[in-house]
Amino acid sequence: YATSISNIGYIYNERGSLTKAIENFHKCLGIFEKLKDESCFGVTYVNIGLAYSQQEEYAIALDYYNKGLKIFERINDKENLANAINNIASVYYNEKDYDKAKEILEKGLKIKQEIKDSVGICLFINNLGFVFFVQDKFEKALEYFHTSLGIAERRRQKDDIALSLNNIAQVYRKQKKYDKALIYSLKAMELSKELGYPEKIRNAAKT
């Protein structure tokens, strides 16, 4: 029952009906509390935070993210802990507090490395790359994006390969190195077509 309510919350969230999404997630909190399901309790806090973040109510979002984070720390749920950390970092990123975002992302990356989550490792490395990218620290951004690309290629994670290729292309485009940007963008587009990702195809085409 709680899972069904949570799924309804996800649907409302995806459709942009954020008030209804929050309402459903709060119903889930009550149920998970009675069931003493702390992991789901923490995930629901994070979901509420995401809904508030989409409304750019970052202070409230941060409060819910931290509530989830404390639960994950207490029950030693490292996977969800790292995910909460990523969401917290996104708040600071959106508020342009890049030093704080970087500091938090580095903590999350360490956790993903501890649990050997290669997909999560690529995510955090790419996010760190973007922190440098938006500060025009292009060489540092390229270092992170190439690191992510290398991991994704070794693990044959095609979606992460496409993401990293596209990110590298964006850096070269910003540097006006259009020949290099085109090479990486075409690789990203080809792989995105293979995977059937229209959004990534569009992003690659912009380069």
Side-chain angles (χ1 to χ4, degrees):
Y1 179 66
T3 304
S4 298
I5 294 174
S6 186
N7 287 337
I8 292 168
Y10 284 123
I11 293 166
Y12 280 130
N13 206 22
E14 290 295 319
R15 291 175 62 182
S17 303
L18 300 174
T19 303
K20 288 184 177 179
I22 291 166
E23 182 183 316
N24 276 272
F25 288 138
H26 273 291
K27 287 179 184 176
C28 291
L29 283 178
I31 296 166
F32 290 134
E33 188 174 21
K34 288 176 184 175
L35 294 173
K36 300 189 187 304
D37 189 335
E38 289 196 273
S39 183
C40 287
F41 202 63
V43 169
T44 304
Y45 272 137
V46 171
N47 286 337
I48 295 170
L50 281 167
Y52 278 112
S53 189
Q54 285 182 259
Q55 296 179 87
E56 298 183 2
E57 295 186 45
Y58 295 125
I60 301 172
L62 197 57
D63 182 53
Y64 278 101
Y65 289 151
N66 279 311
K67 285 178 179 178
L69 180 140
K70 287 174 184 175
I71 290 171
F72 300 139
E73 285 178 333
R74 187 170 66 247
I75 64 175
N76 199 32
D77 183 345
K78 290 189 175 181
E79 184 176 352
N80 280 317
L81 174 61
N83 294 339
I85 286 171
N86 189 52
N87 287 322
I88 291 167
S90 74
V91 169
Y92 289 108
Y93 177 90
N94 288 326
E95 291 184 329
K96 296 182 171 54
D97 188 345
Y98 299 124
D99 288 340
K100 188 69 175 176
K102 176 177 171 290
E103 177 190 332
I104 293 167
L105 285 169
E106 285 171 346
K107 289 179 182 176
L109 177 58
K110 285 180 182 177
I111 294 169
K112 289 295 188 182
Q113 288 169 334
E114 282 175 19
I115 62 176
K116 296 180 171 57
D117 176 1
S118 59
V119 173
I121 289 167
C122 285
L123 171 69
F124 274 89
I125 291 173
N126 269 303
N127 287 347
L128 279 161
F130 257 104
V131 170
F132 288 108
F133 176 71
V134 295
Q135 296 179 91
D136 293 338
K137 297 177 181 179
F138 299 128
E139 294 308 315
K140 198 70 179 172
L142 281 173
E143 181 185 324
Y144 276 89
F145 292 148
H146 275 291
T147 298
S148 176
L149 178 61
I151 294 168
E153 286 177 334
R154 286 194 298 275
R155 297 283 185 173
R156 298 181 181 179
Q157 296 164 193
K158 289 187 177 182
D159 50 350
D160 287 320
I161 293 170
L163 174 64
S164 299
L165 288 169
N166 197 51
N167 289 343
I168 292 166
Q170 285 191 64
V171 177
Y172 284 131
R173 179 174 174 243
K174 194 79 170 177
Q175 291 180 311
K176 301 187 188 309
K177 296 178 180 179
Y178 298 118
D179 289 342
K180 284 187 174 182
L182 185 60
I183 289 167
Y184 282 94
S185 185
L186 288 172
K187 287 180 180 178
M189 188 182 293
E190 184 180 340
L191 192 52
S192 296
K193 282 180 180 177
E194 181 184 327
L195 295 168
Y197 290 163
E199 185 178 347
K200 285 190 173 72
I201 293 168
R202 285 196 298 273
N203 289 340
K206 290 176 186 174
T207 303

